[in-house]
Amino acid sequence: MTKATPRVFSGMQPTGNLHLGNYLGAMVNWIAMAQSHESIYCVVDMHAITVWQDPRELHKAIRDVTAAYVACGLDPKKSVIFNQSQVSAHAELGWIFNCVARLGWLDRMTQFKEKAGKDKERASVGLYVYPNLMAADILAYRATHVPVGEDQKQHLELARDIAQKFNIDYQDSIAEAGYAQGFFPQPEPMITGPATRVMSLRDGTKKMSKSDPSDLSRINLTDDADTIARKIRKAKTDPDALPSEVPGLKDRPEAANLTGIFAALEGATVEKVLGQFGGQPYSSLKNALADLAVARLSPIAAEMTRLAADPGHIDAILADGSARARAIAAPILKDVKKIVGFVQS
Ligand code: TYM
């Protein structure tokens, strides 16, 4: 396997508001990794259109998600921040990976089954091959580390399978191109922290998601202080007091979710949170959680509003990031085409 220099890649879909799950499951780790690694963070607009998006709303959402990246604390001078459709390497490598991945692999993807629902004949072809494009996103930069939430684990495994199959299928050609130990690295999923799967505030067995019809189920990064506090107050609970130790969270999804969120926001462990709130009614945890969530999220919302007032600035960030992304991907794509056998003039 190639001993590649560490490089971080990840992305979020511009399909509406980012929420606390995106923030705690992914963004917090993106920010941490950006301190110590070369990092590339993408607004994956081409993934968004695998399900219908109104063009005007998509246009706005791309800018809003970019603003959210910056408002959360990513520095566009340090990290490469851009939108996917401005860098054609994603689509080009995505096509090559459509020809590497096997139908059987994609048939096993649970997210396709969930998103396509019962009527899969009517799902777009793009939705089906989505994981191949995701592999291309990562491997167009030969990225080695991918910070994501739990729900992306299966897609990351597929990206690793694609990298491996490409390295094996083309091994002679790869060696001829001067790569002694395979061309693509095995990208490492980074799924860490106490909130890798933030659950709905209305149902602790369902993932917090943009597509849940109930806005009470999630905390949006744009919610104001009153809304955040109200949603936490109304969050579903069970009738018992909070347990004092982690095993006591078993079969208590709402308790596990709220303590996990608290721990992630505070930068503490769930053990420590239970040490503080164990034996107490939910209301004491909820009051403290509302204060903590408002303190952490309000400055982000304020910064997003400030940035949204200047779309020219956001577009300039995306233009600069796209140019830098293209420069990294171009020589990699050139080598891929050579390895595959394409004539390049
Ligand atoms: P997306 O846009 O659905 O979500 C963005 C990130 O947020 C995480 N996430 C969560 N984490 C914890 N709890 C939740 N309830 C929750 N909901 C979302 C996701 O795991 C993700 O990390 N396919 C990806 C986007 C993508 C991508 C990539 C990611 C496209 N290409 C390449 C990494 C590398 C997606 O739809 O994420």
Side-chain angles (χ1 to χ4, degrees):
M1 201 47 50
T2 324
K3 194 91 198 83
T5 15
R7 180 178 282 155
V8 178
F9 182 95
S10 200
M12 294 196 193
Q13 294 199 56
T15 47
N17 278 326
L18 296 190
H19 54 68
L20 191 63
N22 301 127
Y23 181 67
L24 296 178
M27 181 53 77
V28 166
N29 293 328
W30 292 17
I31 294 164
M33 295 201 79
Q35 306 311 315
S36 48
H37 291 76
E38 178 186 4
S39 55
I40 305 173
Y41 296 125
C42 185
V43 179
V44 292
D45 47 11
M46 286 158 62
H47 279 98
I49 63 163
T50 55
V51 297
W52 169 251
Q53 304 296 326
D54 177 88
R56 249 170 298 167
E57 280 168 26
L58 177 64
H59 200 76
K60 179 176 180 313
I62 294 166
R63 287 181 175 149
D64 287 350
V65 169
T66 309
Y69 284 10
V70 176
C72 285
L74 291 179
D75 177 353
K77 291 205 184 68
K78 269 182 114 181
S79 301
V80 174
I81 295 177
F82 73 106
N83 58 315
Q84 191 183 22
S85 60
Q86 295 211 62
V87 182
S88 60
H90 294 250
E92 292 185 64
L93 188 59
W95 177 259
I96 292 171
F97 286 172
N98 283 344
C99 305
V100 173
R102 306 289 92 182
L103 278 180
W105 298 1
L106 292 174
D107 280 341
R108 287 194 284 275
M109 294 295 115
T110 54
Q111 205 152 86
F112 174 78
K113 290 180 198 157
E114 281 161 24
K115 285 200 176 174
K118 284 198 186 73
D119 200 0
K120 85 172 171 51
E121 300 292 310
R122 293 177 67 89
S124 76
V125 178
L127 189 65
Y128 187 70
V129 295
Y130 178 118
N132 297 345
L133 181 59
M134 186 164 155
D137 298 338
I138 299 162
L139 294 169
Y141 305 94
R142 298 169 90 219
T144 53
H145 294 80
V146 188
V148 284
E150 242 264 327
D151 60 346
Q152 296 302 315
K153 194 165 178 241
Q154 195 185 34
H155 289 160
L156 260 294
E157 278 158 12
L158 188 100
R160 291 167 67 90
D161 289 344
I162 289 175
Q164 190 182 24
K165 188 169 192 305
F166 183 93
N167 285 345
I168 293 171
D169 287 353
Y170 291 104
Q171 58 186 342
D172 295 343
S173 182
I174 288 171
E176 264 168 48
Y179 294 88
Q181 290 156 322
F183 184 72
F184 287 121
Q186 285 275 287
E188 195 69 47
M190 310 294 293
I191 303 173
T192 55
T196 56
R197 189 174 175 84
V198 177
M199 308 308 275
S200 155
L201 297 179
R202 304 302 296 162
D203 177 352
T205 63
K206 270 174 46 189
K207 193 179 71 173
M208 183 177 285
S209 132
K210 289 172 204 172
S211 53
D212 193 313
S214 167
D215 195 53
L216 284 175
S217 70
R218 65 185 158 260
I219 293 174
N220 303 303
L221 294 189
T222 47
D223 284 345
D224 61 26
D226 286 349
T227 310
I228 295 173
R230 185 166 51 86
K231 286 178 176 176
I232 292 174
R233 230 180 14 253
K234 284 183 179 273
K236 188 176 170 210
T237 53
D238 58 43
D240 297 329
L242 288 158
S244 300
E245 285 173 10
V246 175
L249 292 172
K250 190 170 175 289
D251 299 327
R252 296 189 61 189
E254 283 81 21
N257 193 33
L258 293 175
T259 49
I261 291 172
F262 191 96
L265 282 172
E266 183 146 270
T269 60
V270 173
E271 283 87 348
K272 186 154 176 281
V273 176
L274 290 179
Q276 193 179 343
F277 294 99
Q280 298 185 39
Y282 272 95
S283 55
S284 49
L285 172 66
K286 280 185 167 183
N287 289 336
L289 180 56
D291 289 346
L292 180 59
V294 168
R296 277 292 292 272
L297 302 180
S298 292
I300 296 175
E303 184 61 4
M304 280 173 70
T305 309
R306 197 184 69 79
L307 289 165
D310 188 357
H313 175 58
I314 297 292
D315 292 359
I317 290 174
L318 292 173
D320 174 64
S322 300
R324 284 154 67 200
R326 267 184 234 118
I328 301 169
I332 296 174
L333 251 287
K334 197 168 188 323
D335 278 351
V336 169
K337 289 180 184 174
K338 183 169 164 195
I339 287 164
V340 170
F342 293 161
V343 172
Q344 299 176 81
S345 40

